[in-house]
Amino acid sequence: MHKFKLEEYRGNIKCHRLSSWLYLCYGIGICAILLAIYAKINDCKYEFKNTAHLLAEEVDRKLAANESVLSGFAAFLQAVDKEDKYSACRYANAALLPYKHIYMIEVAKKVKRSNQDDFVKAMRKGWRNDFKLRNFAEVTKTDRVNPSSNYIWPIIFMYPYLPIADSIYGVNLDTVPHLSPALNRAYISNHPIATPPFQLMEGGSAYILLQKVERPENKNSALELNFFGNDMVVMLLVKTNKLLPDIVDRYVGISATIFDDATSTSHIIFNHPAKIKSWFDGLFLPHFTGSIISSSSSQPVRINFEHQLSWAELLDINLLVVIGLILSTTYFILRNIRRHYQNLTLVTERHEQAEYLAMHDELTGLANRHLLVDHVQQTINRWRRNGVLAALIVIDLDNFKEINDRLGHDAGDAVLVETAKRIKALVRSTDTVARYGGDEFIIVINDILSVEDVAAIAEKTLKNISEPIFCGKEKLEITCSLGIAICPQNGQDYDALRYAADKAMYKAKESGRNAFRVSN
């Protein structure tokens, strides 16, 4: 009975552990789904911002085109002959041709109210015999606006010619309610001024961008026709609905308002509402909004954007997250069973790797100075037991610094690796080859019969190392200097043998390099 209860207790512990892992997996899976959805929402928000910026740039280009066309035509009027209406029409046609949103170019002339009768006679004689001055109220059948100055501003030029707008010729701008304040501001300003939007007689909404133009005084008599005159205002009629970008996604809402400095109010110039895919999208998903102010100072337009994110935009990533959740759950269940074996294996591998790195040179794989000292001590112990001679050879590459300075450290490392391979190939498996540091190598040779045996190995080493080494297209010829110390004649411990070998190596360098010397 007690045994049964103990097994049941252990089983319960295992079940609790398994449940813990399952709950952990489910929690991680849910977090992964939420994080993936959050990341996708951010991606959609980023795409929405990019789309908004692209659309705003298109609107900005049209606004900039308005200023460019207006300033260009103003410059033209300053230079055109007084009666060259034909050139004005040609220029206006060329200026408006690329821009569908610019409806018309108009020019109004400043005339003294006391000279208006003479002006009408001159215009009938030199331009249209039916020309007459008009108030805006006469054309539109609206309330009359009394002029506020001693000057009148009749419209004398329109392009393109539209029969429906023929009645606009001769209208005094000072009697137009939506133009009079802007006209006054334009006359005292050197910059273009935009009016609030208004309804055209032929239908549709528009606003006017106008700019004052001055020319040198005309010396001709007042009765002589001076078509454009010396004081003018050039006007650009801009259709507001044409400012809307040519291609707009139906699920992206875009609207724009223009700010009126005179009244400190904003007026809508166009509105493209977004189509909603599903009411369900708005319950859980965000509604993106944003606004961008145009760079045009004369047409202060604020462009507003909106977009309702939909589940259809997130569907693909959800499917991937579900697959990832299943894989993650399976992975963690298997890992719970194998984790102890993996931990033991990992600890063993890390211990062996750490031990290897502690005793070997990272670049060449040869023994480092710690392992070298240990092997030299083993060699000395063998000599003491068996009385067999041993040798320690110090190898130093000649002029190795020049390779690093001329070709760089990568080339130097390649030379060191190749040199290590060549030295390793010359000795027995019972001997030791170590890299002591920099370009210095040490060979420990066991069980030699005579100094001549070591000299033969030194000769082979000099020959093999002096073989050309190719580093890319560069052919390198390396030499070395060797110093040999014999145990026990030159020392009976590592320090003594190393010191004797170093002295012999420096003698080899002093004798001209690419040579070896035996310590005496």
Side-chain angles (χ1 to χ4, degrees):
M1 179 66 69
H2 292 291
K3 182 178 180 181
F4 175 77
K5 289 184 178 180
L6 181 60
E7 293 295 332
E8 183 180 1
Y9 175 73
R10 290 176 179 175
N12 290 335
I13 292 177
K14 291 181 180 179
C15 289
H16 285 305
R17 289 179 179 176
L18 181 59
S19 299
S20 300
W21 278 101
L22 289 175
Y23 285 131
L24 178 62
C25 292
Y26 292 141
I28 292 174
I30 292 172
C31 290
I33 292 176
L34 295 177
L35 288 175
I37 292 177
Y38 179 75
K40 181 61 177 179
I41 289 175
N42 282 340
D43 289 342
C44 293
K45 187 175 182 179
Y46 180 76
E47 291 177 6
F48 167 74
K49 289 182 178 180
N50 281 345
T51 301
H53 278 286
L54 291 175
L55 294 175
E57 286 176 2
E58 185 175 345
V59 176
D60 228 12
R61 285 194 296 268
K62 292 182 178 181
L63 299 178
N66 296 341
E67 295 179 350
S68 178
V69 171
L70 185 69
S71 61
F73 197 74
F76 169 81
L77 290 178
Q78 289 178 323
V80 71
D81 291 339
K82 61 184 180 180
E83 297 182 19
D84 198 352
K85 297 184 293 294
Y86 176 71
S87 296
C89 290
R90 290 185 59 189
Y91 185 92
N93 179 65
L96 298 186
L97 191 62
Y99 308 111
K100 296 180 180 180
H101 65 282
I102 302 179
Y103 182 56
M104 185 179 291
I105 290 181
E106 298 179 0
V107 178
K109 176 180 179 179
K110 182 182 179 183
V111 178
K112 287 185 178 181
R113 191 174 298 279
S114 58
N115 293 336
Q116 64 182 14
D117 294 336
D118 294 335
F119 168 73
V120 171
K121 291 177 182 178
M123 292 295 286
R124 287 179 177 177
K125 180 180 178 181
W127 182 44
R128 292 178 56 160
N129 55 12
D130 62 343
F131 180 84
K132 68 175 182 178
L133 294 175
R134 296 182 176 94
N135 287 326
F136 186 70
E138 299 174 18
V139 178
T140 59
K141 311 301 182 184
T142 57
D143 294 337
R144 184 182 183 90
V145 176
N146 295 321
S148 59
S149 69
N150 295 325
Y151 295 92
I152 60 174
W153 291 88
I155 297 176
I156 61 170
F157 176 83
M158 290 193 302
Y159 188 87
Y161 172 74
L162 299 174
I164 195 172
D166 189 61
S167 59
I168 298 298
Y169 278 111
V171 168
N172 179 11
L173 295 185
D174 208 20
T175 65
V176 182
H178 53 268
L179 275 180
S180 181
L183 177 65
N184 294 331
R185 285 189 290 134
Y187 191 69
I188 61 175
S189 172
N190 294 321
H191 305 288
I193 300 296
T195 70
F198 57 91
Q199 293 297 316
L200 295 169
M201 291 192 305
E202 52 269 40
S205 174
Y207 69 89
I208 293 179
L209 191 65
L210 64 164
Q211 182 175 342
K212 178 183 68 173
V213 180
E214 293 179 333
R215 298 205 306 177
E217 289 292 334
N218 197 324
K219 297 180 180 180
N220 297 327
S221 65
L223 296 178
E224 182 181 355
L225 175 63
N226 188 343
F227 184 75
F228 287 111
N230 301 320
D231 289 324
M232 298 159 281
V233 62
V234 58
M235 296 175 290
L236 217 63
L237 269 74
V238 180
K239 277 206 166 185
T240 56
N241 63 330
K242 297 293 184 180
L243 290 175
L244 183 70
D246 297 333
I247 301 176
V248 182
D249 192 299
R250 57 179 178 168
Y251 299 110
V252 175
I254 175 173
S255 63
T257 57
I258 189 168
F259 184 76
D260 183 12
D261 289 331
T263 61
S264 298
T265 56
S266 297
H267 306 274
I268 296 177
I269 55 177
F270 64 76
N271 184 26
H272 175 271
K275 183 178 179 181
I276 306 299
K277 293 183 179 180
S278 170
W279 64 269
F280 186 69
D281 297 332
L283 291 178
F284 302 101
L285 299 180
H287 185 80
F288 299 143
T289 59
S291 63
I292 298 175
I293 299 176
S294 69
S295 60
S296 173
S297 58
S298 64
Q299 305 160 88
V301 173
R302 176 185 290 272
I303 311 165
N304 304 304
F305 301 92
E306 63 173 342
H307 172 63
Q308 174 59 57
L309 188 62
S310 66
W311 285 105
E313 297 174 66
L314 303 174
L315 183 61
D316 292 340
I317 193 66
N318 283 342
L319 181 60
L320 293 176
V321 169
V322 170
I323 294 175
L325 178 61
I326 296 173
L327 294 176
S328 298
T329 303
T330 305
Y331 170 74
F332 278 107
I333 292 174
L334 293 175
R335 184 183 178 185
N336 193 38
I337 299 173
R338 300 172 55 189
R339 61 180 303 183
H340 298 292
Y341 300 100
Q342 291 176 344
N343 287 341
L344 290 175
T345 304
L346 184 61
V347 168
T348 302
E349 289 176 353
R350 287 181 177 177
H351 177 74
E352 292 175 353
Q353 183 180 13
E355 186 177 15
Y356 178 85
L357 292 177
M359 295 297 177
H360 291 79
D361 177 60
E362 185 177 0
L363 177 64
T364 61
L366 299 178
N368 61 15
R369 62 181 64 188
H370 303 292
L371 188 58
L372 171 66
V373 172
D374 180 72
H375 283 196
V376 170
Q377 188 59 47
Q378 293 179 20
T379 299
I380 293 172
N381 293 339
R382 185 182 295 119
W383 161 73
R384 287 175 176 162
R385 288 194 305 270
N386 303 326
V388 182
L389 301 179
L392 186 145
I393 304 175
V394 174
I395 304 172
D396 189 87
L397 300 183
D398 298 327
N399 302 318
F400 180 75
K401 184 177 182 298
E402 295 179 4
I403 296 175
N404 278 336
D405 294 341
R406 185 165 59 90
L407 301 178
H409 290 283
D410 289 343
D413 290 346
V415 170
L416 293 175
V417 172
E418 180 61 26
T419 301
K421 291 180 181 178
R422 295 181 181 184
I423 297 173
K424 189 72 174 176
L426 293 174
V427 299
R428 301 164 298 184
S429 59
T430 56
D431 300 328
T432 299
V433 180
R435 181 188 175 201
Y436 193 78
D439 59 337
E440 186 174 351
F441 298 85
I442 294 178
I443 305 175
V444 180
I445 303 177
N446 299 304
D447 304 328
I448 61 173
L449 298 178
S450 64
V451 177
E452 287 74 18
D453 293 338
V454 183
I457 294 174
E459 289 284 359
K460 290 182 181 179
T461 303
L462 291 174
K463 180 179 178 182
N464 280 18
I465 292 178
S466 64
E467 293 290 332
I469 297 175
F470 291 91
C471 188
K473 296 182 179 180
E474 193 78 19
K475 180 181 178 181
L476 303 176
E477 294 184 356
I478 308 298
T479 61
C480 64
S481 300
L482 279 69
I484 302 173
I486 306 298
C487 174
Q489 288 91 328
N490 304 126
Q492 298 180 13
D493 58 41
Y494 169 78
D495 291 333
L497 291 171
R498 171 64 193 274
Y499 177 76
D502 273 342
K503 288 184 62 177
M505 182 268 292
Y506 282 115
K507 289 182 179 179
K509 283 189 177 292
E510 292 171 359
S511 67
R513 296 186 172 88
N514 195 23
F516 72 90
R517 292 291 183 270
V518 180
S519 178
N520 50 20

